[in-house]
Amino acid sequence: MTNNQSVLSWLQKVKDLVKPADVMWIDGTEEQLEMLRKTAVQTGEMIKLNQEKMPGCYLHRTAENDVARVEGRTFICSRKEEDAGPTNHWMDPQKCYKMLFDIARGSYAGRTMYIIPYSMGPVGSPFAKVGVEVTDSIYVVLNMSIMTRVGNKIWDVLGDSNDWVRGLHCKCNVDPDKRYICQFPEDNTIISVNSAYGGNVLLGKKCFALRIASYQGKQEGWMAEHMLILGIQNPKGEIKYVSAAFPSGCGKTNLAMLIPPEGFRKKGYKIFTVGDDIAWMRIGPDGRLWAINPENGFFGIAPGTNNKSNPNALATTRKGTIFTNVALNKDDNTVWWEGLDKNPPENGVDWKGRPWNGKTSKEKGAHPNSRFTAPAKNCPCISPEFDKGTGVPISAIIFGGRRAQTTPLVYQSRGWNNGVFVGSIMASETTAAASGAVGVVRRDPMAMLPFCGYNMGDYFAHWIEMGKKLGDKAPKIFNVNWFRLDKDGNFLWPGFGDNLRVLDWILDRCDGKANSVETPIGYVPTPEDIDMTGLEDAVSPETMKDILTVDKDQWRKEADAITEHYKKFGDRLPKELSAELAALKQRLQ
Ligand code: GDP
Ligand code: PGA
Ligand code: MN
């Protein structure tokens, strides 16, 4: 398949370690994939769904203890501990390799070793990078074939280069006590053992495209970010692009595929999805920041996805999609999840594989972090730029999270460095996307807390550095919060499609057109500055005032909490950011 010596010698070492009965090179052909699907159905690894209603769709269930990313078992193995930084778990690389090799040794016995060559980014694009994942799971092969660009063409573009990311996945017996997701950024290597959950085992995604790539970006002068990319066409036909970083489970996929409110549609607004999770961004020849989506599919959260909240995502999952941990409707062999519709199956099977009556059972049919893996090309609003590999120019960068209080619906930072400050202090409630407690507020800078492959203080410095290079061509930086609650615990803002109203203000701000008022934290629109046409009955002017309020007392407390948060970074915290904090405190006095 390839004569690349670095590839061949690594594969030989891996093979000697895991001792498979067979080796299969994934070539990217439909014939081979179809053969693997058949095998997976025969062994019970996947269930073939109703092929008339959902052609090419399958259901898979993971082990009950293996349903989300495991941040406590995720390690950055740089030679020096300080290079992993205060926010990552660290292990000495030599010790870690030894531990992982002991776990992996002989673990493919009697089974097949699949070799997946893949590209993150359109094959051959100047932004793209190659990876090779070795796995013993057909589920991983089939998911990687949706999420990335896979096949023999990868060997051609790689040639004899050594610039590729090594990835070894061993399912083992999914023992949670021996589960490890380890990144070795200095060796371009990822090893993941004892899991079969997507975020832990589809190594192109969070492991490579964020943890390894963020480190590469720092070395090479570009950025790998946990961001969706969205194009917004205004009635004049101009398309502007924004990228947005929200923590997992905080609305990236939904915002990336939003449907404009009716009034906006009639005026001629259109949206185009470029990416829903990861952005690789470089400074282009024109000095602006250009972004590509390195992925080829969407690994989205199923619960809550319905024809009202996200019809584009739902449409995307109607063919060629693998569902993980959703409920099965045995009557018509289709899938169901909480929030799909008001008609759960009576004759169902829950995500644990037990008979389940959705009409009477108090238990959930789908796991809260159940997922769909769907080809990007299925998406009705996929951008014509998606596959081009030259990227799209970014006008605005948006940070956001889940905050019941404190953070207003939207505000604009005072400039690049202040924008980096805004990203660095992001705080959000935890969600089901990672194992552990849900709903706990934690600092999640730039939504990268679980994904930054090196010292977070150095990462902030890299952002400051990029701003210097971009100068006046830098995107404007904003912060949003769709999740502010009233005193009864209801969302104040309707969210989803209506978020376009906020994006519209953001883009007008970029053009210097929209109004705002200055507050200690930045520029906030007045209720009149947001186009509320058609939403007047749902959101009163008082509510709008509430959502846009910046409460000085709350922010004084926030400033104290930020001071604590910043202490972690010691002398790796850029002085620009301590200056921003001091200036914020001053403005709050
Ligand atoms: P991602 O993991 O960042 O891609 O997040 P998703 O887009 O999959 O959304 C995660 C959860 O947040 C789902 O349950 C969505 O229904 C919910 N969600 C997304 N956008 C909004 C919004 O604008 N408002 C509210 N209230 N919920 C949202
Ligand atoms: P997301 O990503 O929740 O940010 O979409 C997948 C994951 O966390 O495993
Ligand atoms: Mn998502």
Side-chain angles (χ1 to χ4, degrees):
M1 294 294 164
T2 173
N3 293 319
N4 184 308
Q5 280 311 307
S6 61
V7 171
L8 293 175
S9 70
W10 181 76
L11 286 174
Q12 187 60 48
K13 269 191 234 147
V14 168
K15 191 175 163 215
D16 293 344
L17 177 73
V18 297
K19 299 201 170 57
D22 261 313
V23 173
M24 185 184 291
W25 294 73
I26 301 304
D27 59 18
T29 61
E30 182 50 31
E31 293 70 42
Q32 191 186 46
L33 291 175
E34 192 51 29
M35 186 270 291
L36 289 170
R37 290 181 199 116
K38 284 212 173 91
T39 311
V41 170
Q42 270 159 17
T43 60
E45 197 175 346
M46 296 202 310
I47 295 166
K48 195 168 187 170
L49 295 168
N50 185 322
Q51 295 299 299
E52 262 155 53
K53 291 189 176 164
M54 312 176 75
C57 290
Y58 294 81
L59 168 65
H60 170 81
R61 298 186 193 108
T62 64
E64 283 179 40
N65 69 30
D66 190 27
V67 292
R69 284 182 294 100
V70 280
E71 295 179 4
R73 310 199 64 90
T74 299
F75 291 82
I76 300 298
C77 306
S78 45
R79 278 187 288 279
K80 289 197 214 134
E81 182 170 4
E82 69 215 61
D83 290 338
T87 58
N88 282 311
H89 299 286
W90 174 84
M91 229 189 286
D92 172 76
Q94 292 319 315
K95 276 198 193 126
C96 190
Y97 279 129
K98 179 172 182 316
M99 177 192 74
L100 294 169
F101 291 163
D102 286 346
I103 294 171
R105 189 164 296 114
S107 71
Y108 284 23
R111 290 179 304 122
T112 303
M113 159 169 155
Y114 301 99
I115 299 166
I116 314 169
Y118 64 96
S119 173
M120 296 312 290
V123 179
S125 146
F127 287 69
K129 288 200 176 266
V130 166
V132 178
E133 177 165 355
V134 169
T135 179
D136 53 346
S137 156
I138 294 182
Y139 172 75
V140 168
V141 173
L142 296 174
N143 275 271
M144 282 295 284
S145 300
I146 296 171
M147 292 306 297
T148 73
R149 289 137 173 117
V150 166
N152 284 344
K153 56 192 181 232
I154 305 306
W155 301 125
D156 301 337
V157 293
L158 183 62
D160 54 12
S161 163
N162 191 23
D163 183 9
W164 55 280
V165 171
R166 292 114 179 100
L168 171 60
H169 166 236
C170 305
K171 194 173 163 185
C172 305
N173 43 3
V174 291
D175 177 355
D177 296 326
K178 290 189 179 156
R179 184 168 298 153
Y180 293 98
I181 320 301
C182 300
Q183 283 72 202
F184 303 82
E186 291 148 354
D187 302 342
N188 271 346
T189 297
I190 306 158
I191 301 179
S192 168
V193 295
N194 273 302
S195 174
Y197 167 72
N200 297 329
V201 298
L202 307 179
L203 300 185
K205 197 175 178 57
K206 307 284 191 183
C207 303
F208 175 175
L210 290 176
R211 296 195 191 103
I212 299 282
S214 60
Y215 175 80
Q216 295 177 327
K218 166 84 175 169
Q219 311 295 311
E220 299 165 10
W222 53 282
M223 305 167 95
E225 299 297 333
H226 190 201
M227 291 178 177
L228 65 95
I229 310 165
L230 168 65
I232 300 143
Q233 181 173 327
N234 69 17
K236 281 189 251 160
E238 301 158 343
I239 307 180
K240 296 246 168 71
Y241 296 89
V242 302
S243 65
F246 310 155
S248 295
C250 295
K252 288 183 302 298
T253 302
N254 276 275
L255 189 68
M257 297 181 192
L258 78 83
I259 295 202
E262 204 188 331
F264 279 73
R265 269 203 309 276
K266 285 200 176 128
K267 272 192 258 173
Y269 280 86
K270 267 194 190 158
I271 77 102
F272 296 101
T273 307
V274 182
D276 82 323
D277 197 41
I278 298 173
W280 282 3
M281 306 196 287
R282 287 175 186 272
I283 300 176
D286 62 358
R288 289 190 293 172
L289 192 62
W290 290 71
I292 65 153
N293 169 13
E295 302 193 278
N296 199 31
F298 305 118
F299 184 61
I301 299 173
T305 308
N306 61 53
N307 236 330
K308 199 165 166 281
S309 66
N310 195 345
N312 283 325
L314 198 62
T316 306
T317 64
R318 295 298 95 176
K319 58 180 191 227
T321 295
I322 301 172
F323 296 89
T324 303
N325 294 339
V326 299
L328 176 70
N329 181 344
K330 278 180 79 168
D331 286 335
D332 65 354
N333 201 25
T334 58
V335 286
W336 193 86
W337 51 76
E338 279 64 29
L340 173 65
D341 55 37
K342 296 211 158 59
N343 190 24
E346 271 170 290
N347 183 20
V349 180
D350 72 4
W351 69 272
K352 296 178 178 172
R354 304 173 307 184
W356 179 75
N357 183 336
K359 300 255 184 340
T360 57
S361 175
K362 288 196 175 60
E363 288 191 48
K364 286 190 154 70
H367 186 275
N369 191 40
S370 54
R371 298 270 171 169
F372 54 80
T373 314
K377 64 172 190 303
N378 283 1
C379 179
C381 54
I382 194 75
S383 163
E385 304 294 320
F386 167 75
D387 231 355
K388 277 196 188 153
T390 42
V392 294
I394 299 297
S395 298
I397 290 175
I398 305 170
F399 295 119
R402 249 174 218 273
R403 276 313 278 281
Q405 291 185 28
T406 317
T407 314
L409 177 65
V410 58
Y411 66 101
Q412 181 182 1
S413 69
R414 307 165 72 89
W416 181 270
N417 284 359
N418 181 245
V420 176
F421 172 75
V422 168
S424 77
I425 65 165
M426 265 172 69
S428 190
E429 292 154 26
T430 51
T431 70
S435 65
V438 168
V440 182
V441 178
R442 67 169 186 186
R443 297 284 155 195
D444 188 349
M446 284 84 169
M448 284 289 277
L449 180 69
F451 307 119
C452 182
Y454 60 104
N455 188 308
M456 184 75 82
D458 297 349
Y459 167 81
F460 294 155
H462 183 45
W463 268 82
I464 301 278
E465 202 49 42
M466 289 298 289
K468 283 190 193 138
K469 288 188 196 153
L470 285 158
D472 63 1
K473 300 221 171 76
K476 304 279 187 283
I477 301 181
F478 298 79
N479 193 88
V480 299
N481 177 21
W482 315 138
F483 299 95
R484 200 146 156 171
L485 301 181
D486 66 14
K487 55 184 189 325
D488 302 321
N490 304 308
F491 290 119
L492 283 164
W493 177 250
F496 301 100
D498 287 311
N499 293 335
L500 182 64
R501 299 170 192 273
V502 173
L503 297 179
D504 193 40
W505 178 80
I506 287 176
L507 288 178
D508 280 349
R509 286 294 295 173
C510 293
D511 281 349
K513 287 196 296 215
N515 285 318
S516 70
V517 285
E518 193 175 344
T519 75
I521 62 170
Y523 304 97
V524 178
T526 67
E528 298 73 49
D529 295 329
I530 305 266
D531 183 345
M532 296 294 282
T533 320
L535 206 58
E536 297 89 345
D537 293 342
V539 186
S540 67
E542 293 76 55
T543 304
M544 273 314 277
K545 234 180 106 202
D546 277 357
I547 326 179
L548 293 167
T549 303
V550 176
D551 181 303
K552 271 197 175 184
D553 282 335
Q554 281 180 352
W555 274 94
R556 276 185 208 115
K557 283 195 200 110
E558 189 72 6
D560 291 339
I562 296 165
T563 310
E564 276 310 303
H565 162 60
Y566 267 8
K567 277 186 187 154
K568 278 199 286 291
F569 304 105
D571 60 4
R572 300 250 189 162
L573 185 78
K575 59 180 187 324
E576 289 85 350
L577 294 189
S578 10
E580 287 295 334
L581 176 58
L584 173 66
K585 286 182 176 167
Q586 191 101 56
R587 289 194 296 271
L588 284 166
Q589 262 170 21

